[in-house]
Structures are given as C-alpha cells and as structure tokens.
Amino acid sequence: MNKNPLVSVIVPIYGVEPYIEKCARSLFEQSLENMEFIFVNDCTPDKSVEILRQVIEDYPRRYLQIQIIEHEENRGLAMARNSGLLIAKGEYIIHCDSDDWVEREMYEKMIKKAFDDKADIVGCDFYYDYVDRLVIHRQHFPNDNIQCIVELLEGKLHGSMCNKLINRKLYSLGHVRFFDGINMWEDIVAIISLCFYAGKIAYVSQPFYHYVQYNSASIIRDVTTKQMDDMIYACRNIESFFVQNNSFDKFKFHFISLVLGVKFYLVLREEVRDYNRFHCLWPEID
C-alpha cells in the first residue's frame, strides 16, 4: 500500500450492483498515479463487492493502492464515510458515491490546482446524468471561505463532498466527522465545518463528476420521514456549530434560507406533509 498518497478516495458501498463496475473503473483509470482507494462495504445485500473484486483484477498496478473495509453490520452512509476517514493517508481526501462515476483527469487536475494555489479546498463543476442527456452544473466557488459558507447555506453551491477535494488537516483541525445515523445532508454539515477552518478555496471550472440520476434506489429520489428528520437534525447541528464558534450572527440571514428550504418540504411534499411541524420548527422565522 502506498504510504504517502496525494489523494485518498473514500467510496461507501451499499446496494449498487448495477453501478459499481463503472464507478470503480473510472477511479482505477485516473490519470493521477499516486492515489489510494478506500471502499467501505456497509453490509451490502447484493453482489456489489464481488463485482468490485473482479474489476480490481483488471488493474494490477492499482492493487496495492486499494483497501476494502468490511462493516460487520449495516451502519449507514455517515459511518461508512467515517470508517474511510479513519484510515485515509492521502494529503487530500475526496469522496465518491458508488453509483456515480468520474472523468479520467478529475483528481490530477484538482490536486494540481490545490498545489498551484496552495488551497485547502478545491471544487469543480459536475454533471447530472440522466438516461438520455447530461446536464452541466456550474459551481463558481469563491476563494473566500466565509463567502463559500454563505453560498452553501443559500443553495448556490452543492453540499456534496464528491466534487470537493479537502486537505486532510482540516478534518483534524476541526475534529470533523459525519454524524452517526444521518444519511441525508450528512455532507453539508461536514463541508460547512471544513470551509470554516479552511484557508484558501480554489475552483476548477470543468465538470468532472457524474451524479447518476437514474438509480431508482438512490437516497435522493424520494423524501421519507426519516430523511426529513435527518435534514432537520443537520440544520440544528449547523446552527449549534455557528453558535459554538461565535459566528451565528454572521450567518444568521443565510442560515434562515437553508431552514426555510427544509420547512417548505413539510408543505410542498405530500409524502412528508405536516403543517403542525412546519409551524413548530424555528417559528421565529415564519
């Protein structure tokens, strides 16, 4: 195993049998050589890991760069990410969802930007992959970490960890981890904390990451009561983080934008509609 990789990619695996091969091949065929790949098997009930092991056989030069962590029980997306973080040795860390895939030069170009700009965080554009088309989403990351947080709260920047290369020291500096049991918006809590501790933030204006939109089993397809609970819990943790760091007044107006988005789920989405809960959540902003 490479002791000093430039980039660690953390890939949770659960129920992605139709997608894992394309994901894994897109990772192993990266133009950047000095990498490590950490797959976390969260007790997937299908043949995802069996397929992954078959794909690995086609890339012997990557063999020593690959680790597969086996959870003894299903612990959820957040804890799968944490398991990867515990052993990641890369100077920079990025996450990849196992039903998505990436362009061949993604990590080489992002790490080059990180070194050229001496940046703690590097973001890029991404695609939404539909069955019949690709849609590019531009991100335009600001260099300033405070403005980056503002745009995350307002939804101008996607909260995902998968299009953001993060200096590993930020995770230690802020003791940043993903919350156990939270599988919806676990990433936006983490990225806001990481941005808070970041120095310079850089941006590569190219779409490298492919968010697959035709996975019917994806967590983002429908909103359940549990996912609603997760989003509310995420908001409360962001609020607590700002308060603990004496920054709530600085971000209060923008935090309200995030909360209103969550509250309106309770009105607009029939499957979780709850008018009483709508009025009880942060009633002061109604």
Side-chain angles (χ1 to χ4, degrees):
M1 187 177 67
N2 189 350
K3 293 182 179 179
N4 299 294
L6 293 177
V7 175
S8 297
V9 186
I10 298 172
V11 190
I13 295 178
Y14 186 86
V16 289
E17 186 175 320
Y19 310 99
I20 185 62
E21 179 175 355
K22 186 168 187 175
C23 175
R25 290 190 186 279
S26 75
L27 295 174
F28 301 151
E29 291 174 8
Q30 285 296 294
S31 57
L32 181 66
E33 289 296 325
N34 191 7
M35 301 180 65
E36 71 170 351
F37 307 91
I38 302 170
F39 296 90
V40 184
N41 176 16
D42 195 29
C43 290
T44 185
D46 60 10
K47 295 181 179 180
S48 296
V49 175
E50 181 181 328
I51 293 169
L52 170 63
R53 293 186 186 279
Q54 292 170 355
V55 173
I56 290 171
E57 293 301 316
D58 292 338
Y59 299 89
R61 69 184 177 87
R62 294 290 195 189
Y63 190 77
L64 295 179
Q65 301 175 335
I66 299 167
Q67 295 187 72
I68 300 177
I69 299 173
E70 301 281 356
H71 280 180
E72 294 183 359
E73 59 183 8
N74 179 255
R75 301 176 67 190
L77 180 58
M79 294 306 290
R81 295 194 195 280
N82 285 340
S83 293
L85 286 173
L86 282 174
I87 66 167
K89 294 180 173 60
E91 189 170 345
Y92 284 76
I93 294 174
I94 196 164
H95 299 258
C96 181
D97 290 340
S98 48
D99 54 352
D100 297 331
W101 61 283
V102 298
E103 294 287 334
R104 184 175 181 273
E105 295 184 329
M106 176 172 179
Y107 303 129
E108 181 180 17
K109 289 191 173 182
M110 292 183 79
I111 195 67
K112 182 178 186 303
K113 184 68 172 177
F115 289 155
D116 288 349
D117 288 21
K118 297 180 174 58
D120 285 326
I121 297 176
V122 179
C124 69
D125 300 328
F126 58 87
Y127 295 100
Y128 275 153
D129 283 27
Y130 298 94
V131 173
D132 57 350
R133 69 192 190 281
L134 298 178
V135 177
I136 296 175
H137 284 254
R138 302 293 181 189
Q139 293 291 272
H140 304 292
F141 285 78
N143 291 333
D144 177 70
N145 67 324
I146 300 303
Q147 185 59 32
C148 199
I149 292 173
V150 167
E151 296 194 13
L152 284 163
L153 291 170
E154 293 183 347
K156 295 176 182 177
L157 291 178
H158 196 292
S160 171
M161 304 296 295
C162 297
N163 71 324
K164 301 171 185 69
L165 190 69
I166 311 289
N167 192 321
R168 183 160 58 97
K169 71 179 184 183
L170 296 184
Y171 283 98
S172 300
L173 185 65
H175 305 288
V176 177
R177 289 295 183 269
F178 298 90
F179 290 103
D180 187 6
I182 303 302
N183 298 317
M184 188 81 167
W185 282 22
E186 84 292 343
D187 43 10
I188 194 168
V189 181
I191 192 58
I192 284 175
S193 302
L194 292 164
C195 283
F196 187 85
Y197 295 107
K200 187 172 183 182
I201 295 173
Y203 166 52
V204 180
S205 58
Q206 290 178 257
F208 292 130
Y209 193 86
H210 291 258
Y211 286 105
V212 169
Q213 301 297 299
Y214 45 83
N215 178 4
S216 61
S218 172
I219 196 169
I220 64 172
R221 301 298 295 180
D222 297 301
V223 179
T224 65
T225 300
K226 170 63 168 67
Q227 290 165 355
M228 195 74 235
D229 292 342
D230 286 356
M231 288 188 282
I232 293 167
Y233 184 78
C235 288
R236 295 203 184 281
N237 275 281
I238 291 169
E239 182 180 33
S240 295
F241 177 82
F242 289 148
V243 170
Q244 291 168 9
N245 287 279
N246 300 313
S247 299
F248 185 72
D249 288 342
K250 182 186 298 183
F251 296 110
K252 182 177 181 179
F253 177 78
H254 312 288
F255 175 73
I256 287 172
S257 296
L258 181 70
V259 169
L260 281 173
V262 174
K263 283 169 69 76
F264 277 117
Y265 268 98
L266 294 168
V267 175
L268 300 176
R269 297 296 290 262
E270 184 176 356
E271 62 268 34
V272 292
R273 186 171 294 153
D274 187 333
Y275 293 106
N276 288 331
R277 197 175 193 189
F278 173 92
H279 290 299
C280 290
L281 285 172
W282 291 278
E284 67 276 10
I285 72 172
D286 283 355

